[in-house]
Each structure stands twice: as C-alpha cells, then as structure tokens.
Amino acid sequence: MSGVWVFKNGVIRLVENPNQSGADTQGRRKVMVYLPTGEVVSSYSTLEQILRSLGWERYYGSGDTDLLQFHKRSSIDLISLPRDFTKFNSVYMYDIVVKNPNYFHVRDSH
C-alpha cells in the first residue's frame, strides 16, 4: 500500500496513488468479500445491510456530509467511509476488516 497522507478538515487520510484518477493500477484493484456468504461487497447498500447484521448502526453525530459513519454500541470503534462508493478503496476496506475480524477479507479483483 502506497500513497500520500493528506490532512483536511481535521481528518488525516491516506490517498493511494495520488497521481492516478482514483482507480488502482492494472490488476491492483481490491475488493472486499463478506466471508460467511462469499459475496463481494459491491455497494454501500449491501455493506450497510451486512454491518447492521453485525451490530453496527449509522452514526450521524459528526456533521460531515462527505462521510458515511457507523458505530457499535458495545465498542468505541467508528467506521468512516467516503459517501461516494467509487472512492471506497483498500484503506477503508482494511479498516472494516480490522474492526470485524473473521467476517471480511480483502483480495485482488479478477
């Protein structure tokens, strides 16, 4: 994973391959798989359904309209995602994987 760390509006983010137009280089595009079903997460509506089934709820407290956020009442974890699914990259995928062990896997797309 390579990129540039960008600090904007009080949030630090890793921008992968900043010289490219949002897509990873050839063959390096990642997908996130929901392990219990083997389903590739291809939209936020699918992801939100899965996260809800795992106890995550939408969080509206930050006031940042560029982000979709989810929290779990049983933890202090917060998942923050760009509202635009085309900007959903491996950094966000791995954040979800770490906060939901044994439920998701990130792999290269085919």
Side-chain angles (χ1 to χ4, degrees):
M1 186 172 6
S2 65
V4 175
W5 288 100
V6 176
F7 185 78
K8 180 179 178 186
N9 297 328
V11 177
I12 192 163
R13 301 175 196 226
L14 177 64
V15 178
E16 292 184 86
N17 302 314
N19 295 331
Q20 302 214 351
S21 61
D24 292 342
T25 56
Q26 307 157 6
R28 290 183 52 205
R29 185 87 178 138
K30 303 286 187 186
V31 293
M32 187 170 67
V33 178
Y34 180 54
L35 293 175
T37 63
E39 176 184 10
V40 171
V41 176
S42 58
S43 70
Y44 278 150
S45 61
T46 301
L47 179 58
E48 186 168 358
Q49 284 180 320
I50 294 168
L51 290 175
R52 284 182 185 271
S53 74
L54 297 174
W56 291 89
E57 300 174 350
R58 283 289 299 273
Y59 177 73
Y60 300 97
S62 75
D64 189 340
T65 58
D66 293 335
L67 295 175
L68 292 177
Q69 295 184 310
F70 298 88
H71 75 100
K72 236 180 184 178
R73 290 180 189 240
S74 61
S75 77
I76 61 169
D77 289 333
L78 183 68
I79 296 173
S80 296
L81 308 170
R83 187 166 292 282
D84 181 357
F85 189 76
T86 62
K87 295 179 180 176
F88 181 64
N89 61 35
S90 62
V91 172
Y92 302 104
M93 293 177 194
Y94 284 116
D95 183 45
I96 292 169
V97 169
V98 167
K99 292 173 181 169
N100 297 279
N102 305 315
Y103 287 99
F104 293 97
H105 176 72
V106 177
R107 64 171 170 81
D108 290 331
S109 65
H110 294 114

